[in-house]
């Protein structure tokens, strides 16, 4: 038998529409007309039989702003519901929730270039060397220019290799660590009292809350030596300017939003926010996950991050769209899957997402998707989710095949352009959406992406000043950009430093959050903590990266530290069974000296080979809906010889 290439997942580009005649049958080729008729008919039936909330849209965080704008408009105007969301939910929703609660705006506060003009960079739960290589180039320039870097991660990652100090904490103990840093700053007299008094609220309560987290108490829980915690506290508080960056090591927990609040507290204590070179920065995941949310492809915000519960905002959009917008939040991605289980959600339009493989507890997710009356998948590849669909619509790739804009995590809107001819009959996401809207009685025509953008600009004050001409002229602009003359500020919340109270505006509250360990506890039966994440050579569920060979790629492994490999009597390359309370997979062993005893690591990149998400737990952050991908309990079983 020919050995399968473990480094590849062979996905082929979709070149023509597919439909299924009845559940259980195979997908077959169809004309665009037939596929669009079927897509629309299923949505109409769901709405007529079960009401507008029986429909949900998953919108693509890789596609353009313009496509996301049209997708949320389709959901709200054509289907009459606010049930629209994306993989932002599995990712940085806690960052958006935490930042909004403190500063009133869900965006990162700084520009990439600021890490080149700062004195201290803290990479907290972020492996930017692998996952944000472009940003990391700026970090390296900062380090070359004299900035110090600290890394806080259970694994000594490729990012940590560049750090002056690596704080290798136990998974899920970020709040104790942050609180101990905060307490040390207070006790060492390093608080920026002028800033705290003027711009924040709740300091006294915060100081009382962190008081029990002495360096030794935190060392016990986090596993980080007291001296290293003290050192981080002093370095951060004494730095003239400091950038605190975090990613999924902070957010993908059942208390992700609390984790984010615990980190933001440190910036409030020290005044490291609202000035050039000082800020808090969640590095966002996909190329346009920031933009998707900004465009309103989330269940609680209209385009331009305008709250759906505000009657004034609703009225503006209702007039512009000639529609009635439901005065309540729609379902998050997490709630959509729960509603599938309850039989309340019947039809889903999934554009450029692969939830069958990316959701925690994938067996459960697939069972729920399979129970839908009507699933339409619009993608560039035939994904596992597409294989389950009733209708599959082939789209052009936003990257290089489509015109529009995307927004990165420094809030910079940039133009993308069609430069490559799309394959076969693939069509642009926006055109497909308009044709499905047409099947449901809405005659939509946009004269190109710019026409969509101008409709958005007229409705979103933060984007008003960004014409395509200006985006071109300045090679991208950052929001908020409210007027056509001035250039926007590169960082947010300078207002917090204003002397005048009125100009300073709303105070930034300290977050009174408490330690809450991972839900999936380790015990005798499941003694190993599994955390999951990324490698440089692959992208998410592997659909986009797996089809191309890479000399770096080595397929899925369960990675252990040398001591654990010895304890379980396993060697590199040996196939073992990895078992959690949800399911089990078989994977080969890898030994990584960056891991610590009791900690294992797997990626999500090769789900066809090893379905890592069969192991993960669907324990969600109650505020943001993000699952605890970063903490499962597992055991390793040696395979019997000959089996
Ligand atoms: N090459 C590549 N780049 C990518 C992607 C990709 O798949 N491949 N995906 C993109 C997407 S969608 C995203 S969201 C980003 C994600 O980017 P990152 O968040 O940087 O990537 P991860 O590897 O998922 O997780 C980051 C780190 O969190 C650590 N961690 C785990 N548990 C904890 C904990 O309890 N506390 C702390 N402090 N740290 C912990 C892990 O050890 C890991 O090193 O990357 C984006 N960029
Ligand atoms: N175990 C574990 N699971 C995780 C995570 C983890 O750290 N550990 N991380 C979570 C995170 S942060 C994320 S973001 C999710 C990602 O989860 P998903 O978003 O479900 O996974 P992707 O592989 O990124 O899927 C992207 C899809 O978009 C399609 N696509 C790309 N460009 C376009 C376009 O222009 N138009 C259309 N129509 N389609 C397009 C691709 O073909 C692909 O099918 O996974 C989550 N799951
Ligand atoms: Mo992500």
């Amino acid at each position: 038998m020919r050995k399968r290439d473990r480094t590849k997942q062979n996905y082929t580009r979709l070149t023509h529409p597919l439909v299924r005649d009845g559940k259980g049958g195979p997908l077959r080729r169809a004309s665009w007309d037939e596929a669009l008729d079927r897509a629309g008919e299923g949505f109409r039936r769901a709405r007529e039989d079960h009401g507008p909330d029986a429909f949900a849209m998953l919108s693509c965080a890789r596609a353009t702003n313009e496509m996301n704008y049209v997708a949320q408009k389709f959901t709200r105007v054509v289907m009459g519901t606010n049930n629209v969301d994306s993989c932002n939910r599995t990712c940085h929703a806690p960052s958006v929730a935490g930042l909004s609660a403190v500063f009133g705006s869900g965006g990162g506060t700084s520009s990439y270039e600021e890490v080149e003009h700062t004195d201290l960079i803290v990479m907290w739960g972020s492996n930017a060397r692998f996952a944000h290589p472009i940003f990391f180039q700026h970090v390296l320039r900062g380090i070359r220019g004299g900035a110090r870097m600290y890394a806080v991660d259970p694994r000594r990652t490729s990012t940590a290799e560049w750090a002056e100090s690596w704080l290798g904490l136990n998974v899920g103990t970020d709040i104790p660590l942050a609180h101990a840093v905060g307490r040390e700053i207070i006790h060492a007299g390093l608080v920026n009292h002028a800033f705290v008094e003027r711009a924040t609220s709740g300091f006294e309560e915060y100081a009382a809350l962190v008081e029990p987290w002495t360096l030794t108490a935190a060392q016990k829980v986090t596993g980080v030596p007291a001296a290293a915690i003290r050192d981080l506290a002093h370095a951060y508080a004494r730095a003239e300017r400091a950038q605190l960056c975090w990613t999924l090591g902070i957010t993908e927990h059942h208390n992700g939003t609390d984790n984010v609040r615990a980190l933001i507290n440190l910036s409030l204590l020290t005044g490291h926010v609202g000035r050039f070179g000082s800020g808090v920065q969640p590095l966002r995941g996909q190329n346009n996950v920031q933009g998707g949310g900004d465009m309103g492809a989330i269940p609680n915000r209209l385009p331009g991050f305008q709250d759906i519960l505000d009657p004034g905002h609703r009225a503006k959009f209702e007039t512009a769209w000639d529609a009635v917008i439901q005065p309540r939040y729609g379902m998050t991605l997490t709630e959509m899957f729960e509603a599938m289980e309850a039989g309340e959600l019947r039809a889903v339009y999934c554009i450029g997402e692969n939830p069958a493989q990316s959701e925690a507890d994938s067996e459960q997710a697939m069972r729920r998707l399979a129970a839908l009356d009507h699933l339409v998948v619009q993608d560039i590849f035939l994904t596992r989710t597409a294989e389950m669909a009733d209708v599959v619509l082939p789209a052009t790739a936003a990257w290089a095949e489509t015109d529009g804009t995307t927004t990165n995590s420094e809030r910079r809107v940039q133009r993308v352009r069609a430069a490559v001819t799309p394959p076969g009959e693939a069509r642009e996401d926006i055109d497909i959406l308009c044709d499905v809207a047409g099947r449901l009685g809405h005659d939509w025509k946009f004269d190109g992406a710019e026409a969509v953008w101008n409709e958005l600009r007229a409705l979103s004050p933060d984007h008003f000043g960004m014409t395509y001409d200006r985006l071109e002229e300045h090679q991208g602009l950052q929001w908020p950009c409210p007027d056509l003359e001035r250039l926007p500020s590169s960082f947010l919340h300078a207002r917090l430093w204003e002397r005048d109270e009125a100009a300073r505006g709303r105070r930034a509250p300290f977050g009174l959050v408490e330690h809450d360990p991972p839900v999936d506890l380790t015990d005798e039966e499941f003694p190993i903590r599994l955390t999951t994440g990324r490698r440089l050579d692959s992208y998410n569920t592997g659909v986009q990266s797996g089809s191309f060979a890479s000399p770096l790629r080595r397929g899925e492994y369960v990675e252990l530290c040398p001591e654990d490999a010895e304890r379980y009597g396993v060697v590199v390359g040996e196939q073992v069974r990895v078992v959690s309370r949800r399911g089990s997979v078989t994977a080969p062993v890898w030994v990584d000296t960056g891991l610590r005893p009791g900690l294992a690591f797997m990626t999500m990149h090769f789900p066809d080979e090893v379905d890592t998400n069969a192991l993960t737990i669907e324990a969600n952050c109650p505020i943001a809906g993000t699952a605890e991908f970063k903490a499962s309990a597992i055991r390793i079983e040696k395979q019997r010889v000959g089996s």
Side-chain angles (χ1 to χ4, degrees):
M1 203 176 78
R2 205 163 64 89
K3 216 171 164 229
R4 191 162 161 209
D5 182 357
R6 296 193 49 254
T7 64
K8 277 177 85 175
Q9 306 202 80
N10 288 307
Y11 287 100
T12 45
R13 272 300 288 271
L14 285 165
T15 52
H16 47 75
L18 302 166
V19 298
R20 190 188 309 280
D21 300 309
K23 291 276 175 199
L27 283 167
R28 66 161 170 85
R29 183 171 183 159
S31 69
W32 267 108
D33 259 339
E34 184 187 12
L36 290 165
D37 284 348
R38 288 222 193 178
E41 184 48 34
F43 294 147
R44 183 204 313 280
R45 222 176 310 123
R47 190 184 54 193
E48 281 174 7
D49 295 352
H50 306 284
D53 292 333
F55 169 87
M57 167 77 78
L58 297 184
S59 187
C60 183
R62 277 125 312 242
T64 61
N65 284 325
E66 289 76 1
M67 175 268 151
N68 276 282
Y69 176 84
V70 176
Q72 60 81 33
K73 185 174 172 183
F74 178 97
T75 309
R76 297 192 162 108
V77 175
V78 177
M79 299 307 294
T81 173
N82 289 312
N83 293 342
V84 52
D85 209 2
S86 78
C87 60
N88 79 82
R89 196 61 49 196
T90 61
C91 190
H92 268 295
S95 302
V96 176
L99 287 162
S100 304
V102 181
F103 301 115
S105 158
T109 69
S110 310
S111 294
Y112 293 170
E113 67 160 326
E114 288 178 57
V115 291
E116 297 175 30
H117 303 279
T118 193
D119 303 292
L120 182 79
I121 304 161
V122 184
M123 302 300 300
W124 199 313
S126 159
N127 190 7
R129 165 77 184 80
F130 274 15
H132 297 90
I134 294 176
F135 175 76
F136 202 70
Q137 289 306 313
H138 295 277
V139 170
L140 289 180
R141 270 191 226 147
I143 293 174
R144 223 169 289 138
R148 305 165 69 190
M149 180 168 82
Y150 282 61
V152 184
D153 196 302
R155 303 183 301 139
R156 201 177 72 242
T157 59
S158 185
T159 302
E161 298 288 350
W162 289 88
E164 172 180 322
S165 171
W166 164 58
L167 283 75
L169 81 172
N170 296 328
V171 169
T173 62
D174 295 275
I175 290 176
L177 184 64
H179 282 2
V181 169
R183 182 187 185 278
E184 177 62 23
I185 290 172
I186 295 168
H187 279 255
L190 297 171
V191 172
N192 186 332
H193 283 292
F195 182 82
V196 167
E197 272 154 36
R198 250 195 270 151
T200 72
S201 63
F203 171 72
E204 295 302 331
E205 293 87 339
Y206 173 74
L209 177 83
V210 300
E211 189 51 32
W213 288 109
T214 60
L215 296 174
T216 38
Q219 169 172 327
K220 234 193 204 143
V221 174
T222 65
V224 180
I229 305 175
R230 182 178 181 280
D231 178 39
L232 170 60
H234 286 247
Y236 185 70
R238 288 177 197 276
E240 185 72 25
R241 297 160 297 180
Q243 288 280 330
L244 179 48
C245 308
W246 71 83
T247 53
L248 305 186
I250 284 301
T251 60
E252 282 183 341
H253 291 278
H254 76 282
N255 56 347
T257 308
D258 286 358
N259 281 344
V260 168
R261 294 294 299 268
L263 296 203
I264 296 175
N265 284 340
L266 303 179
S267 76
L268 299 181
L269 262 189
T270 52
H272 283 319
V273 66
R275 290 183 304 164
F276 187 80
S278 272
V280 286
Q281 187 77 323
L283 308 168
R284 301 298 300 264
Q286 310 77 17
N287 54 321
N288 200 33
V289 67
Q290 176 75 50
D294 298 345
M295 292 302 110
I298 41 175
N300 57 346
R301 292 286 185 274
L302 288 158
F305 218 67
Q306 300 175 81
D307 197 332
I308 284 176
L309 299 185
D310 182 320
H313 293 151
R314 273 202 318 277
K316 178 170 69 172
F317 283 88
E318 288 180 333
T319 307
W321 291 344
D322 189 20
V324 176
I325 298 167
Q326 283 199 28
R328 59 172 185 268
Y329 294 156
M331 292 179 204
T332 61
L333 178 66
T334 318
E335 288 162 346
M336 289 175 196
F337 273 81
E338 286 160 11
M340 288 179 208
E341 181 83 43
E344 287 157 10
L345 187 58
R346 312 300 282 254
V348 169
Y349 192 169
C350 172
I351 307 183
E353 298 280 333
N354 187 19
Q357 296 187 313
S358 58
E359 284 289 295
D361 196 347
S362 51
E363 291 285 321
Q364 172 180 272
M366 280 195 258
R367 185 170 46 71
R368 290 171 171 181
L369 284 167
L372 288 169
D373 295 337
H374 188 56
L375 175 63
V376 177
V377 171
Q378 180 168 313
D379 205 292
I380 59 176
F381 289 102
L382 186 65
T383 61
R384 281 291 162 271
T385 311
E387 282 175 1
M388 303 178 72
D390 302 283
V391 181
V392 180
L393 304 171
T396 62
W399 197 81
E401 293 173 359
T402 309
D403 265 336
T405 61
T406 60
T407 309
N408 68 8
S409 46
E410 59 170 2
R411 296 165 281 103
R412 186 180 301 280
V413 179
Q414 293 169 288
R415 284 277 281 118
V416 291
R417 294 170 189 80
V420 176
T421 314
E425 298 171 20
R427 299 181 58 209
E428 290 205 9
D429 281 309
I430 293 179
D431 295 338
I432 305 171
L433 273 159
C434 287
D435 281 352
V436 180
R439 298 303 199 270
L440 293 157
H442 291 257
D443 184 21
W444 285 0
K445 282 270 167 309
F446 291 102
D447 187 13
E450 189 169 5
V452 179
W453 185 249
N454 286 336
E455 181 175 315
L456 171 270
R457 281 183 45 238
L459 291 162
S460 167
D462 280 354
H463 295 90
F464 179 71
M466 301 179 179
T467 60
Y468 268 25
D469 282 347
R470 284 190 91 204
L471 290 175
E472 195 96 36
E473 183 189 339
H474 299 288
Q475 300 198 341
L477 290 167
Q478 287 165 289
W479 64 253
C481 182
D483 66 64
L484 290 163
E485 285 80 40
R486 275 175 306 165
L487 284 178
S489 164
S490 64
F491 62 91
L492 298 180
H493 316 313
R495 67 172 176 86
L496 293 172
W497 291 89
E498 294 281 349
R499 292 200 161 271
D500 175 58
E501 188 163 350
R504 214 155 54 227
R506 185 176 161 271
R507 283 169 179 268
F510 279 89
L512 304 179
V513 295
E514 308 229 31
H515 176 42
D516 191 7
V519 172
D520 205 18
L521 294 173
T522 51
D523 59 14
E524 253 172 48
E525 207 184 337
F526 299 99
I528 303 173
R529 176 59 71 210
L530 171 70
T531 196
T532 64
R534 287 156 176 81
R535 289 202 210 117
L536 179 63
D537 53 79
S538 298
Y539 184 74
N540 287 0
T541 62
V543 176
Q544 285 171 262
S545 53
S547 307
F548 311 96
S550 160
L552 293 174
R553 204 176 294 131
R554 53 185 166 84
E556 190 61 274
Y557 284 86
V558 53
E559 301 183 7
L560 302 170
C561 72
E563 296 88 330
D564 282 347
E566 201 179 311
R567 174 175 326 153
Y568 298 110
V570 293
V571 295
V572 171
E574 177 176 343
Q575 295 282 341
V576 294
R577 211 153 177 71
V578 186
V579 187
S580 83
R581 295 185 177 96
R582 269 74 46 202
S584 68
V585 299
T586 304
V589 170
W590 188 265
V591 172
D592 181 353
T593 52
L595 288 165
R596 295 172 307 125
L599 181 65
F601 180 75
M602 293 176 75
T603 81
M604 56 179 298
H605 298 316
F606 308 92
D608 293 344
E609 195 68 46
V610 179
D611 184 7
T612 302
N613 276 329
L615 304 168
T616 51
I617 182 170
E618 203 218 0
N620 300 315
C621 169
I623 303 167
T626 305
E628 195 152 60
F629 289 109
K630 291 290 181 261
S632 312
I634 57 160
R635 68 168 175 267
I636 303 281
E637 287 176 6
K638 219 173 145 59
Q639 302 279 78
R640 266 169 302 153
V641 181
S643 70

